[in-house]
Amino acid sequence: MNKRVLSLTLLFACLSLVTMRAEGRSVESFNSGWSFKKAPAEKELAVNARKWDSGWSEVEIPHTWNAKDMQVQADNFYEGAAYYKKQYFFPTELKGKRVFLRFEGVGSCAEVFVNGMLATSHKGGYSAFACEISPLLKAGEENEIIVKADNKSRPDVIPINHNLFGVYGGIYRPVWLIVTEPYNISVTDCASPGVYVTQKNVSKKQADVNVKVKLDNGTLQPASVTLQNTIYNQEGKQIATQSRSFELSAQGEQAYESSFTIKNPTLWQGRENPYLYKVVSRLIKDGKVIDEMVQPLGLRKYEIVAGKGFYLNGEKYPMYGVTRHQDWWGLGSALKNENHDFDLATIMDVGATTVRFAHYQQSDYLYSRCDSLGLIIWAEIPFVNRVSGEEAENCRNQLREMIRQSFNHPSIYVWGLHNEVYQPHQYTRELTQSLHDLAKTEDPDRYTVSVNGYGHMEHPVNLVADIQGMNRYFGWYEKKIQDIKPWVENLEKEYPHQKLMLTEYGADANLNHQTEYLGEALNWTKEFYPEAFQTKTHEYQWSVIAAHPYIIASYLWNTFDFCAPLWVRGGVPARNMKGLVTFDRKVKKDSYFWYKANWSKDPVLFLTQRRNWDREKKETSVTVYSNIGTPKVYLNGKELSGIREGYTPVHYIIDHVTLENGKNIVKTVVVKDGKTYEDEIEWMYSGEKKRDSDQSVNKEEHAGF
């Protein structure tokens, strides 16, 4: 067995906070040595898995069985039960210790067996869960761990279908073996860190911090222990500490609190300065640290003012928002940290300041990285699309788990309660109200949000959370691209006191579909999804969003293309192509550079329509994105005149550009601060081509896809 002890911060806290080794407990990777087998149809009982001698394959965790079948053929993938088993030698020297397994994510329902005995079960594919297995282990012997995972849709577990996105089956996030002394900081409090850090009255002068620690005594007798809570700054200097000694009861978990006032703190200021303190909680017995947890502390104050905007530490803060589904082409949801890092680097590069992680709780590592990067994030549960009437308990449980597991991440500003859930309206409204009440009980200091796919404030499931989100796809699912403007202006006039966010908008783009002939709307049920229509949608709609602070924050849909396993859209099975980046993460679409030019401080000079190289019109237009000044544009070496500003100050257009027959070279140049920036594309023209541009559609509602 690998005895290497990992720092606890690898599991629970931001990597940038690591300055000391955790003491008292060991946290060991439990991801290798697993065997996998799909359940035989006639043997669905987990107890039978111990008797199956054939058909097992060796796998490494993270693992999903849907990495291929769910992504390539619509509505034809395996959903159901499968089994994982692993042999674990329990050394005799660990007798008397407490042993736990912590699963970061199993899709979507799980049962864990140790030596044939049920240790725990869990419903929900996106939250972590932990169980103690020490009573079931045999010291000095090989022990068998079996996990049943089942991703079949069921009415009592959210999401209740695979309609908007696929729930990948498997142990798709890491597993950890945790060993502690008999007395510990709670491991099984909804798989949370067992430490809850709250902050009040945050300003540049001072901040009040409270640390609550839940302790567990696994023996039959009370124990004399000391709990020490210490705050360190980012440089590792201790700035405050408190210790408290007491008798730890053997009956039930006990919570103990410490309060601090930090003078003249350095504030967590988003991407500008994501400064992190850390809180170290130590449990001490007989002068020895027997357990320790390290948690991040970013001192910040979030405030939303209706009609005006979002404020961070009293300063108005731009909410340049993107959304992210976690799956990758060829990997599904079985991602490693480098995959999460790649996605975050892309999000940072485009200039986003806030991320909606939709439509479910995502990796704790991802949230931790957002703490250190300064991204302001939205975390939500997968209560989406449809209701069954049987999911209420599971909704509340998944929300409770998400809040407790993610409580200490300073980057999280809001808990998402539902997304486009409607009939029966009264049931949905009452359930959402109960979720709001639960969130405020668990965490009174953060906002809640619910999201509607309709465009009117008076919808019966609205206004039961702190923030009202609305998903609007003008020009795609309904009406025309330009109808976003009268929509928001009417809401501004009629509902000036409501906190509104535009929580999804955009259009699909298949890079193999290119045309110059674009209308003001596109019938999304057709097979032709031109990239230029997506670009046109984002160009106009971002300009409207930027001009209306009534929209507190906006979240374009989506950063990356993702799997939609029940659909065939735009000629591609099982794919939603609304991403700014392709599913394989290899190509950034034109819309990506539109937002980077508008949001990022990095220099951007970009010519659009480079993939539309076979031009349809002899007389065309050239579009340039430049955030470094007015560009010069050349066609076949000759400078073009008549450049004009488009929708925003980074948007430049030259109309009535006449192409030559054959190859045409378009080049743009900007000289700024003595440095020359260039971009160049090639177009071909071989005669006029006409495409049917009748792409209009007028729908009052959409499926939320």
Side-chain angles (χ1 to χ4, degrees):
M1 183 183 71
N2 182 0
K3 298 288 290 179
R4 181 167 60 93
V5 178
L6 301 179
S7 168
L8 290 180
T9 50
L10 180 63
L11 178 58
F12 294 118
C14 172
L15 293 180
S16 66
L17 297 176
V18 178
T19 59
M20 63 173 62
R21 294 169 64 90
E23 298 186 57
R25 72 167 65 181
S26 69
V27 181
E28 179 180 317
S29 172
F30 208 63
N31 296 318
S32 60
W34 289 90
S35 298
F36 167 77
K37 180 182 176 65
K38 289 182 181 177
E42 72 279 8
K43 296 180 179 179
E44 290 269 344
L45 295 176
V47 292
N48 292 326
R50 306 186 72 197
K51 304 175 184 179
W52 302 335
D53 296 325
S54 62
W56 295 91
S57 58
E58 299 299 314
V59 297
E60 185 83 8
I61 304 301
H63 174 264
T64 175
W65 61 76
N66 292 128
K68 294 182 179 179
D69 65 348
M70 186 176 280
Q71 297 182 344
V72 298
Q73 189 170 348
D75 201 16
N76 186 19
F77 57 92
Y78 180 74
E79 60 168 325
Y83 293 88
Y84 295 82
K85 70 176 180 179
K86 175 183 172 75
Q87 299 296 317
Y88 167 69
F89 181 77
F90 183 40
T92 55
E93 60 264 28
L94 290 184
K95 194 171 183 179
K97 305 283 188 179
R98 301 181 70 182
V99 183
F100 302 84
L101 287 177
R102 187 178 192 273
F103 296 82
E104 290 193 23
V106 178
S108 59
C109 294
E111 297 175 14
V112 180
F113 297 83
V114 178
N115 296 323
M117 300 295 292
L118 180 65
T120 194
S121 62
H122 183 259
K123 296 178 180 179
Y126 301 103
S127 52
F129 63 97
C131 62
E132 184 169 3
I133 64 171
S134 39
L136 304 177
L137 293 172
K138 299 175 182 178
E141 298 181 30
E142 288 285 341
N143 292 261
E144 186 177 59
I145 315 294
I146 292 178
V147 179
K148 177 185 177 183
D150 192 336
N151 71 329
K152 186 174 180 59
S153 297
R154 46 190 287 178
D156 61 328
V157 178
I158 57 171
I160 64 170
N161 57 38
H162 297 276
N163 191 48
L164 295 187
F165 53 90
V167 183
Y168 292 85
I171 308 177
Y172 72 92
R173 288 183 187 154
V175 185
W176 303 91
L177 181 74
I178 302 173
V179 180
T180 76
E181 297 295 329
Y183 322 100
N184 60 32
I185 298 171
S186 178
V187 179
T188 55
D189 177 33
C190 289
S192 74
V195 178
Y196 299 88
V197 183
T198 57
Q199 47 187 288
K200 301 278 189 182
N201 306 316
V202 175
S203 70
K204 294 179 180 179
K205 293 183 178 180
Q206 71 175 50
D208 298 327
V209 176
N210 186 78
V211 181
K212 180 171 73 173
V213 183
K214 292 187 176 181
L215 301 178
D216 188 18
N217 181 347
T219 73
L220 298 178
Q221 301 296 329
S224 298
V225 297
T226 298
L227 177 63
Q228 179 189 80
N229 289 306
T230 305
I231 300 177
Y232 298 85
N233 64 16
Q234 190 162 279
E235 294 70 37
K237 179 182 178 182
Q238 177 180 312
I239 63 169
T241 188
Q242 286 187 20
S243 295
R244 178 180 177 184
S245 298
F246 47 84
E247 291 288 304
L248 180 60
S249 171
Q251 294 179 288
E253 290 184 348
Q254 308 297 320
Y256 299 89
E257 300 186 24
S258 299
S259 296
F260 303 88
T261 297
I262 301 176
K263 298 293 186 181
N264 303 314
T266 301
L267 301 183
W268 190 90
Q269 193 61 37
R271 289 189 58 161
E272 296 176 15
N273 184 23
Y275 189 92
L276 290 172
Y277 296 83
K278 68 179 178 182
V279 177
V280 180
S281 300
R282 299 184 178 98
L283 184 62
I284 302 168
K285 190 175 189 303
D286 300 327
K288 178 184 177 181
V289 176
I290 61 171
D291 203 2
E292 177 184 284
M293 287 300 300
V294 182
Q295 291 295 288
L297 172 60
L299 294 170
R300 81 290 184 267
K301 179 183 178 182
Y302 294 131
E303 185 179 11
I304 295 173
V305 180
K308 294 184 178 180
F310 187 95
Y311 292 80
L312 175 60
N313 302 321
E315 300 177 10
K316 191 170 183 179
Y317 194 79
M319 295 290 275
Y320 302 149
V322 298
T323 51
R324 186 250 192 182
H325 267 296
Q326 67 183 2
D327 59 338
W328 278 47
W329 170 253
L331 298 176
S333 57
L335 306 183
K336 296 183 178 180
N337 288 347
E338 53 260 38
N339 303 121
H340 297 302
D341 286 335
F342 182 95
D343 282 4
L344 288 174
T346 303
I347 288 168
M348 293 290 285
D349 180 69
V350 80
T353 60
T354 180
V355 187
R356 180 186 180 193
F357 287 115
H359 285 299
Y360 39 78
Q361 182 176 343
Q362 299 196 15
S363 167
D364 189 73
Y365 173 84
L366 191 78
Y367 295 163
S368 294
R369 293 292 293 131
C370 290
D371 295 340
S372 60
L373 292 170
L375 289 169
I376 296 174
I377 64 175
W378 162 333
E380 65 184 67
I381 58 172
F383 185 28
V384 297
N385 180 243
R386 295 290 185 272
V387 297
S388 67
E390 300 178 35
E391 66 278 275
E393 180 181 358
N394 188 249
C395 284
R396 287 188 281 265
N397 193 55
Q398 288 199 42
L399 179 62
R400 185 183 298 108
E401 289 176 324
M402 179 177 70
I403 293 174
R404 293 191 187 183
Q405 291 166 21
S406 308
F407 190 92
N408 298 326
H409 292 299
S411 54
I412 297 176
Y413 80 98
V414 67
W415 304 118
L417 307 181
H418 85 226
N419 179 81
E420 296 189 358
V421 185
Y422 307 120
Q423 295 282 6
H425 291 152
Q426 191 59 31
Y427 170 83
T428 299
R429 182 180 181 87
E430 290 185 3
L431 177 50
T432 306
Q433 179 68 61
S434 76
L435 294 173
H436 170 80
D437 292 342
L438 173 62
K440 289 300 186 180
T441 300
E442 291 281 333
D443 182 11
D445 299 322
R446 282 187 175 95
Y447 290 101
T448 64
V449 60
S450 65
V451 175
N452 198 310
Y454 295 81
H456 46 276
M457 194 71 74
E458 65 273 18
H459 192 278
V461 304
N462 283 1
L463 304 181
V464 288
D466 296 327
I467 301 165
Q468 184 60 54
M470 291 190 185
N471 300 338
R472 309 307 303 146
Y473 289 94
F474 292 107
W476 188 253
Y477 293 121
E478 60 171 324
K479 301 182 180 178
K480 296 180 179 180
I481 292 173
Q482 294 80 7
D483 285 319
I484 186 175
K485 186 175 181 181
W487 168 75
V488 67
E489 289 178 345
N490 179 69
L491 288 175
E492 284 178 318
K493 178 182 177 181
E494 298 296 329
Y495 305 98
H497 305 296
Q498 307 298 347
K499 298 179 178 70
L500 176 82
M501 292 185 178
L502 179 58
T503 43
E504 293 179 26
Y505 67 101
D508 284 72
N510 184 335
L511 297 190
N512 293 319
H513 297 174
Q514 301 290 339
T515 186
E516 296 178 74
Y517 291 97
L518 300 172
E520 305 305 328
L522 192 148
N523 186 341
W524 59 275
T525 62
K526 293 186 177 181
E527 291 298 303
F528 191 64
Y529 288 6
E531 180 184 10
F533 187 84
Q534 183 195 62
T535 306
K536 180 178 180 177
T537 299
H538 283 292
E539 285 175 345
Y540 179 76
Q541 295 191 353
W542 168 250
S543 72
V544 174
I545 294 166
H548 289 81
Y550 179 75
I551 300 175
I552 302 295
S554 61
Y555 293 89
L556 64 87
W557 191 262
N558 196 284
T559 311
F560 308 98
D561 292 351
F562 60 92
C563 176
L566 302 185
W567 297 86
V568 177
R569 302 272 291 273
V572 180
R575 189 73 55 83
N576 185 307
M577 292 178 284
K578 291 187 180 69
L580 305 182
V581 183
T582 55
F583 199 6
D584 59 10
R585 271 62 172 177
K586 291 182 179 180
V587 181
K588 297 179 174 73
K589 304 177 189 180
D590 284 358
S591 296
Y592 180 93
F593 295 95
W594 166 250
Y595 285 103
K596 184 172 181 177
N598 278 282
W599 294 351
S600 176
K601 296 178 181 178
D602 295 335
V604 176
L605 181 65
F606 183 81
L607 286 160
T608 70
Q609 298 194 61
R610 60 193 58 223
R611 280 168 289 276
N612 190 13
W613 61 271
D614 186 12
R615 305 301 290 180
E616 299 159 304
K617 302 178 181 179
K618 187 173 184 64
E619 183 178 288
T620 187
S621 62
V622 175
T623 298
V624 184
Y625 303 149
S626 172
N627 62 5
I628 50 177
T630 304
K632 293 184 177 181
V633 183
Y634 302 85
L635 176 64
N636 300 322
K638 297 180 181 179
E639 185 174 356
L640 299 174
S641 60
I643 194 166
R644 63 180 176 88
E645 186 176 302
Y647 293 129
T648 73
V650 306
H651 191 200
Y652 296 93
I653 303 168
I654 300 179
D655 300 306
H656 309 300
V657 175
T658 302
L659 301 179
E660 297 179 2
N661 290 332
K663 183 169 68 173
N664 292 263
I665 302 298
V666 183
K667 183 176 181 178
T668 183
V669 179
V670 172
V671 178
K672 183 176 176 62
D673 299 329
K675 185 175 180 179
T676 300
Y677 299 86
E678 298 180 355
D679 192 26
E680 182 178 292
I681 61 176
E682 180 179 307
W683 285 344
M684 295 292 295
Y685 177 73
S686 58
E688 295 291 304
K689 306 173 187 67
K690 180 66 175 176
R691 180 181 295 278
D692 179 15
S693 61
D694 181 19
Q695 300 168 338
S696 63
V697 66
N698 186 2
K699 292 181 178 291
E700 292 299 326
E701 59 181 280
H702 61 82
F705 181 65

